[in-house]
Amino acid sequence: MPLIDGLTTLWDKLFSAQPDPPPLLVLLTAVVALVVVSTRLTWRITRNAVTIAHEGGHALMALLTGRKLRGIRLHSDTSGLTLSAGRPSGPGMILTLLAGYIAPSLVGLAGAWLLGGNRITLLLWVAVALLLAMLVMIRNVFGVLSLLVTGGVVLAVSWYASPEVQAAFAWTSVWFLLLGGVRPVVELQRLRSRGRMPESDADQLARLTPFPALFWVTVFALVNLAVLVGGALLLAGPILTDAGLTL
């Protein structure tokens, strides 16, 4: 039957493993992502993707801890806001605040795990699905446009691009999330030291727990650096294999 055949084809497309990427591609995409994250102009343009993951982390944790999600706003200055209702203190609120700064890195780690199994198409389609799910909770025009553009780019690459372009896009995106998860923590502490972010996630956590804000900034940094190392090892699989090494 055509419908069954179509579903079978779709299933195979999603869950089939693509060939190992050339080691050079893994290295080049890492370099490209590092340049994007470390250069001011490109970082300002692409940082919104990190903000999407950051606010998505707040939103998901709010739902997982039983809080009622009110909405998400994304702003043109790459800041964001996630509103949820529930107890103003306690484990649910603490975990919701904690999730934001570590979410981009953890999303990158999940992506690295999928790429470690060469599930490139599955990675891209999961990304589109997550962006569509998040779109339902967006409460401002810029946020809607941001998600539509981001999701549209990922969908177009997954549907129309050649396998080589898909691989380059997927590896660059995952490297970007892993590396891009670290820089906002540095920026956070720099702004805090100047007194410009008194209501940051770290400062709110300090008011809810016995630990100072600097402790929470350090937690963010250590988690993201550890995830970066773990994700890099997963992504470096083709290089290690080519060198006759294994993880």
Side-chain angles (χ1 to χ4, degrees):
M1 296 177 62
L3 178 59
I4 295 177
D5 290 341
L7 291 174
T8 301
T9 300
L10 179 61
W11 180 270
D12 291 339
K13 181 179 177 67
L14 278 176
F15 291 96
S16 295
Q18 284 74 30
D20 286 338
L24 182 59
L25 180 142
V26 179
L27 285 174
L28 287 178
T29 54
V31 171
V32 169
L34 180 60
V35 170
V36 169
V37 170
S38 59
T39 304
R40 176 177 296 182
L41 177 60
T42 54
W43 175 244
R44 289 188 63 180
I45 295 172
T46 58
R47 192 187 192 281
N48 195 55
V50 175
T51 302
I52 290 172
H54 179 114
E55 300 304 330
H58 283 316
L60 178 60
M61 188 56 68
L63 292 173
L64 291 176
T65 56
R67 299 179 63 80
K68 186 172 183 180
L69 187 59
R70 297 293 192 188
I72 303 168
R73 300 178 70 88
L74 303 172
H75 303 132
S76 58
D77 63 355
T78 72
S79 65
L81 178 65
T82 299
L83 297 175
S84 62
R87 288 185 57 193
S89 60
M93 190 66 211
I94 292 172
L95 290 172
T96 298
L97 289 169
L98 179 62
Y101 275 98
I102 63 175
S105 294
L106 292 177
V107 172
L109 181 62
W113 178 74
L114 287 173
L115 290 182
N118 291 334
R119 300 302 196 273
I120 298 172
T121 303
L122 180 61
L123 168 66
L124 297 176
W125 282 41
V126 166
V128 172
L130 291 174
L131 290 168
L132 287 176
M134 188 173 174
L135 182 62
V136 177
M137 298 308 302
I138 296 295
R139 295 294 181 264
N140 67 323
V141 174
F142 181 82
V144 170
L145 292 175
S146 295
L147 287 185
L148 289 177
V149 170
T150 305
V153 169
V154 177
L155 182 61
V157 170
S158 69
W159 196 259
Y160 296 109
S162 66
E164 294 78 14
V165 172
Q166 288 185 17
F169 180 83
W171 255 267
T172 302
S173 299
V174 171
W175 277 119
F176 171 78
L177 287 171
L178 291 170
L179 293 165
V182 176
R183 179 164 177 171
V185 180
V186 177
E187 294 174 341
L188 167 65
Q189 183 53 30
R190 184 183 299 128
L191 291 172
R192 287 192 63 260
S193 67
R194 299 171 183 171
R196 294 173 57 185
M197 287 192 72
E199 295 300 320
S200 72
D201 294 349
D203 290 281
Q204 293 183 66
L205 283 165
R207 290 194 288 270
L208 295 174
T209 67
F211 306 106
L214 184 58
F215 169 84
W216 291 109
V217 175
T218 304
V219 169
F220 299 155
L222 291 177
V223 170
N224 289 355
L225 288 172
V227 170
L228 172 58
V229 172
L233 289 174
L234 289 171
L235 292 175
I239 297 176
L240 298 176
T241 300
D242 190 62
L245 302 173
T246 57
L247 292 178

